[in-house]
Amino acid sequence: MNKHEPSYYEATANGVKSRPQLVGDHSADICIIGGGFTGTSAALHLAEAGYKVSLLEANQIGWGASGRNGGQMCQGHNMGHADLIDKVGKETADLLWQTSIDSVTMVKDLIAKYQIDCDLTPGVLHVASKARHADEIKKAVEYKRQQLNYDGVDYLNASSVAAKLGTDRYHGGEWYKDGAHIHPLNFVLGLANAAELHGAKLYDNSTVVEYTDGKNPEVITAKGRVKCRYLLFACNGYMGHLNGPAARKIMPINNFIIATEPLPDTVTERINPERIAVADSKFVVNYYRLSRDGRMLWGGGENYTPSFPKDIAGFVKKHMVATYPELAKYRIDYAWGGTLAITLNRMPQITRQQENIFVAQGYSGHGVALATYAGAIFAKAVQGSLEEVDAFEKLPSRDFPGGTLLRWPGLVAGMLYYSMLDRLP
């Protein structure tokens, strides 16, 4: 079993505990593969409803992207509402838009209900790295306010953004007043603890090696097996070859974060006095925020290979210093990476593969809220409410060209092209 990777989140985690390995034969109403946001949320919602739940995690709960990400959540999808209408019609587009609002609300409600100490902090700002991006953002805000009657977002001009962030680097921004950011590892650990309080069985060090389908699927690990009525694949970027049809829908990519030493108050009050989370409009996104103890947590840079850069700190720090040169002199205390999954359309794939087998994956950078919500969608589907699963299934969901073996060359070529555009004026 791999324990949590060293990171700022791992160093400040609350209540990490070892859970048993699955050994022997077991039965459950529901078996969940994967102990991240999706899996623990599904386990909690199903256990609350009285189901017998077994969750199998290959490493430790929250070991993957759910315990390593930027911690940001805001309303909206990667695909705009007008584009969704073109793809799936207005009724389904409206429902999908609403899921993006409800998902953020759900995270906040779960934190309050279960008293999860995970540094919940309000405010997310999507900033324009180029002047034309500011025009696009302004139109997007007007659309949300006028067409969707959503007043939780405002457009900020360049001077207003500069006042919030202490830099004149940006050309405008989309201010999500009801967005928020959290300590993601502590959140997923809190979900897991809550699920166990309701009777769910969570297992560490229980890598699934194969499964059988049918009326009563069996999930098999090195030392045990679970026979169940319903099965949920919640593996995301760590699916591997376990479920081939699902794996062909996603591309695992690696993203990286650094945490500085605690910064002086004079610095934090100048560069982010409101302690908001920020993401820019580049294709390879920079995203950042201040931690509770005043560190800059900066995410930036990607790679598309099975291994991480040897010098993650240097790989990411250059992006931070390009925006805030004064941070160059501060020590980098933590540097880490994680693997997420993207889909071709950058929308989550939440689907029913068979009558009793479901997959939820491919959050494409929106996993904090949407993955948590996907777990609840699965719980509702088990109880007979399939409306939201049906809505996500209507989205066109194509396999990556080349399948699981040959998809990387095309992706890398595309990503390099768009990262080159990021560097142009």
Side-chain angles (χ1 to χ4, degrees), residues 380-397:
K380 288 194 285 187
V382 167
Q383 297 171 79
S385 177
L386 290 160
E387 181 184 17
E388 287 158 310
V389 171
D390 290 343
F392 278 96
E393 282 188 331
K394 289 178 182 177
L395 288 164
S397 180

Side-chain angles (χ1 to χ4, degrees), residues 129-147:
S129 299
K130 301 180 181 182
R132 63 180 176 84
H133 294 171
D135 294 336
E136 293 165 2
I137 286 173
K138 188 173 184 179
K139 290 176 182 176
V141 170
E142 290 172 351
Y143 184 97
K144 292 182 181 76
R145 296 185 69 90
Q146 296 172 10
Q147 302 300 320

Side-chain angles (χ1 to χ4, degrees), residues 1 17 42 49 62 64 72 87 103 138 163 251 274-275 299 307 319 327 366 394 402-403 410 424:
M1 175 180 69
K17 62 183 181 182
Q72 302 190 21
K87 300 289 186 185
S103 64
K138 188 173 184 179
M251 173 67 69
E274 297 176 43
R275 300 299 195 268
S307 59
H319 300 289
L327 299 186
H366 282 246
K394 289 178 182 177
L424 296 176

